[in-house]
């Protein structure tokens, strides 16, 4: 088991969102601090048009003034995906979620850090179509100026 002070840097460039998120959730529950870099370059598998149509239907749920509110920024979308794989309503899940940080691009403070990529989450193993999290975010209304 990992110690609480261990920090893992994950480069999300070219990794499949779901498989990467499940590996990160396991590490968070083991007590590691995880920092995800290049969140906008993570990969969704499947046909682009059908995934975007699903996202638009999902975003229409609820009253606009009361919620539920759905993120459109790639880093926040990825963070919420990882949260969905944690037992968030239990204390251990909330503590694990607090140990997660997600960034778009690579901030200067993390430029020289050694990053890992999960072998099981490589997008090179995909046979069908795929697209990035940034492409999905742009289609559902993300303005890059945010």
């Amino acid at each position: 088991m990992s110690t609480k002070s261990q920090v893992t840097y994950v480069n999300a460039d070219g990794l499949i969102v779901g498989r990467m998120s499940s590996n990160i959730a396991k590490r968070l529950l083991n007590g590691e601090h995880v920092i995800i870099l290049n969140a906008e370059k993570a990969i969704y598998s499947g046909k682009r048009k059908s995934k975007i149509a699903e996202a638009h239907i999902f975003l229409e749920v609820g009253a606009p003034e009361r919620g539920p509110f759905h993120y459109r920024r790639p880093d926040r979308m990825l963070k919420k995906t990882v949260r969905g794989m944690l037992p968030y309503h239990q204390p251990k899940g909330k503590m694990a979620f607090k140990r997660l940080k997600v960034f778009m691009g690579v901030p200067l403070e993390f430029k020289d850090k050694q990053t890992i990529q999960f072998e099981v989450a490589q997008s090179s193993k995909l046979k069908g179509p795929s697209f990035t999290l940034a492409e999905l975010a742009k289609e559902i209304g993300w303005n890059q100026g945010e």
Side-chain angles (χ1 to χ4, degrees), residues 28-128:
L28 290 169
L29 289 170
N30 285 335
E32 290 183 37
H33 290 264
V34 178
I35 297 174
I36 303 173
L37 308 170
N38 290 320
E40 75 280 3
K41 296 179 182 177
I43 302 291
Y44 266 121
S45 62
K47 292 184 179 176
R48 182 178 172 157
K49 285 185 179 181
S50 65
K51 293 288 184 178
I52 291 170
E54 286 176 23
H56 279 292
I57 292 169
F58 177 71
L59 291 171
E60 291 173 4
V61 176
E65 64 278 354
R66 291 182 293 158
F69 303 106
H70 303 290
Y71 296 119
R72 287 169 170 81
R73 277 181 47 167
D75 56 337
R76 291 182 178 172
M77 291 168 68
L78 185 57
K79 192 169 184 174
K80 188 127 184 210
T81 302
V82 175
R83 188 187 116 172
M85 297 186 181
L86 293 171
Y88 183 72
H89 295 291
Q90 297 177 9
K92 69 178 180 179
K94 286 189 184 195
M95 291 304 295
F97 187 63
K98 289 179 183 178
R99 291 190 291 270
L100 174 67
K101 291 188 179 175
V102 183
F103 297 96
M104 291 190 295
V106 182
L108 292 175
E109 59 191 281
F110 305 123
K111 276 274 193 230
D112 300 328
K113 301 292 184 183
Q114 183 70 27
T115 62
I116 64 167
Q117 286 199 328
F118 301 108
E119 189 64 35
V120 296
Q122 292 292 329
S123 63
S124 58
K125 296 183 178 190
L126 291 176
K127 295 179 180 161

Side-chain angles (χ1 to χ4, degrees), residues 122-139:
Q122 292 292 329
S123 63
S124 58
K125 296 183 178 190
L126 291 176
K127 295 179 180 161
S130 62
F131 55 97
T132 66
L133 197 50
E135 291 171 352
L136 175 66
K138 285 177 191 172
E139 288 289 334

